[in-house]
Each structure stands twice: as structure tokens, then as C-alpha cells.
Amino acid sequence: MDGHRGWMLAAAGRRKRLHAVTQRRVSSPVAAFRQRVSVGSSECRHIVSRGKDMKKGFVIGFGQDMAASVAAAREAGLDGVELMYLEPTTATFADVADRKRILEESGLELAAVGLWRVGFGDPAESGHADVIKAGLDFAAELGASCFYTGTGEPASNDKVGVLAECYPEWEQRAADAGMDLAVYLGHAGSYLFSEVALAETVARIPSIGLKLDPSGIIRNLRAEPLYVLSKFGGNLAHFHVKGLLRLADRELEPPPGLDGLPWAPMFGILHEHGYDGWVMAEPHSPLWCRPDHWALYAKLTFQCLGPYMA
């Protein structure tokens, strides 16, 4: 696939996802106008989204206290938070009322719900489909903007084909709830461990949404984030940011903008694709994962990246 065709397919996929979600979100003449224009050309879609800045959020890590995380996000002046769950079961989501209360009292939005080590294409006997359905319902009840999980790891020579068969149903479920849908890369629960696999998946499922983060692209895809964002940014549905500084004998993970990654050109690429979604600060080291450092991490992240997000 040549570069121009790849860009156009990615834009077409993003338009399809945008149309599916806006079908549920039209509540005013302005929103109706945006819907009519957004499903036209990619150029028009970018025009109507330019008045909306990207939103700033904080990732609540696995097992991390939600109330304390929300307090840190408020202290840092953020717009919302994200909930992530590692190896969830259907019982994981029984506390929806408590989670909803915390969000409502804080005034923050829920950017996303992410389920890890489960996937859309996993075999039926895994029970993961029931977990994902419960997670989608949970995310919808909390008003999440995005829901993501793994592609699955089907025991098939055609893993993309397995995902392509089931993805439209999941995509419709998410759209009916007013959410974007995405898959993560490079971790258990996903077969996306290479750029080749990613390219084939996007080619065969043009509407697929991607949850991306630059350091994950480097570590797990073994790829260059500027290239990956340029090639697949039209499918970006949710964006995590964490710093990465590679020294001769070690790696550090300071807040983004205080590290060694090329954040300015990466955000330039996001604007080229018309991305106006969430940017989620994700502490990822023993120092910055300490609760007393969460607010500082978020503040420093968006002091550095904020100018690129308008």
C-alpha cells in the first residue's frame, strides 16, 4: 500500500468512527451541522474540529486509589481521568455507583475505560466477551468518551480475520453508547506486536480505533513513533503520554517534555490528522507513581505539552 492510499484509508476509517459516535451525540443544531459536514471529506472534518482543543487527563493505574487520583487531577487543573483494569472479570464493575459518585463530586469527565489482558478476538471459552460487554456497559454508565481493550490472541493463522469478523459488532455497541472504540498494542491480550501486524489490521479494518503512546511504540512495537503516528494517526482514538529518556546505562521516565522524545513534531503530526481527543498523562516509574507525586507529574506534563494541544 503506498503512502497516499494508506493516509486516505486511515482518514476514511476515522470518518466512519466519527459518524457512528456522532449519530448518538447530536443534541443541537450546531451538533447536527457538524455531523453533516464531518461525514463528507476529511478536509471538512478537520475544519469543524479545529475549534476544539485536545483535553488533558490523568490515567488511574491498576489498583490505584480513584479518589486520590481524582484529587491529583483536580489539583493539576485537568479535564478528566481514565480507569484501567488488569485481567478484569464481570464482578470487577460492580462498584459503578461509587465510581459515578466520585466523578460527579469532582466535576471531572471520564476520558476512557481500558481493559487489559482481554481482547475482542479471544476464543469463546475464555469468557472474555462477557467481560468486555460488562466493561462497555460500565463505561457507558459513567459517560466515558472511549472504551478500549486488546485485539485478542486467537489461535488462528489469520488473527486479523478473526478480529475483522467480530469488530463491527463491538464498534456498533460502543457507538450506540456514544463512545469511541479502540485497541491497544504490544501487551498480553493483543497480537499487535509489530508494525507489519498493525499495518495489515488497519488495511483490513479501516475503521479500527487505536490507543497509542509513543514510548510504547518504541518499546513494544520496536518502531519509530513519528513514523507510526504519521502512518496510522488517522486511526488514533485515544492518546497516552509518558516520558522516556534513554541513557548509556539506564532508562528514566520523567514527565513528557522533560525527557528525550520529540513531542513537538509528534503533536504536529496529530494536528495533521485532525486529532482533538484526550491526551492522558501516565506516570510510569517508581518515583512518579508515588501518590504524592501524581499532581506534580500532571502539572509538569501539561506545562510542557499544553502549548502543542490548542
Side-chain angles (χ1 to χ4, degrees), residues 215 219 242-245 251-255 259 284-286 288 297:
S215 69
R219 286 171 163 163
K242 50 182 178 279
L244 180 62
L245 180 60
E251 287 185 351
L252 300 177
E253 297 179 290
D259 63 332
H284 212 258
S285 73
W288 295 105
Y297 184 94

Side-chain angles (χ1 to χ4, degrees), residues 60-245:
I60 302 176
F62 306 128
Q64 197 167 295
D65 182 76
M66 182 176 180
S69 301
V70 164
R74 289 191 65 188
E75 181 182 339
L78 306 188
D79 302 300
V81 294
E82 171 182 333
L83 291 168
M84 297 199 307
Y85 295 95
L86 183 66
E87 297 181 340
T89 67
T90 54
T92 299
F93 310 108
D95 62 353
V96 62
D98 289 338
R99 303 284 185 175
K100 191 171 187 177
R101 175 185 53 77
I102 293 171
L103 285 170
E104 289 176 347
E105 290 176 354
S106 73
L108 297 181
E109 299 177 52
L110 184 61
V113 171
L115 309 189
W116 295 77
R117 297 188 183 174
V118 298
F120 295 122
D122 286 334
E125 57 269 23
S126 70
H128 289 173
D130 290 336
V131 174
I132 294 170
K133 287 175 186 175
L136 270 167
D137 290 343
F138 173 85
E141 178 67 20
L142 296 178
S145 297
C146 180
F147 177 87
Y148 69 87
T149 188
T151 60
E153 298 180 281
S156 169
N157 292 329
D158 184 15
K159 291 178 171 55
V160 182
V162 173
L163 181 63
E165 184 175 349
C166 69
Y167 191 81
E169 179 183 348
W170 291 113
E171 189 173 35
Q172 189 60 55
R173 283 177 177 269
D176 288 345
M179 293 184 291
D180 282 323
L181 188 69
V183 296
Y184 63 76
L185 322 179
H187 292 277
S190 173
Y191 65 74
L192 293 174
F193 277 87
S194 72
E195 186 190 327
V196 172
L198 178 58
E200 183 183 359
T201 299
V202 171
R204 293 175 63 181
I205 314 173
S207 67
I208 194 165
L210 301 176
K211 175 265 173 194
L212 297 175
D213 81 84
S215 69
I217 291 170
I218 293 169
R219 286 171 163 163
N220 304 320
L221 236 56
R222 307 250 193 273
E224 164 56 51
L226 288 172
Y227 178 75
V228 170
L229 289 172
S230 177
K231 188 172 182 179
F232 302 109
N235 291 80
L236 180 62
H238 195 59
F239 195 51
H240 279 200
V241 295
K242 50 182 178 279
L244 180 62
L245 180 60

Side-chain angles (χ1 to χ4, degrees), residues 49-66:
S49 67
R50 284 305 183 195
K52 174 184 169 187
D53 292 347
M54 300 176 198
K55 290 186 176 182
K56 303 171 184 177
F58 184 78
V59 175
I60 302 176
F62 306 128
Q64 197 167 295
D65 182 76
M66 182 176 180

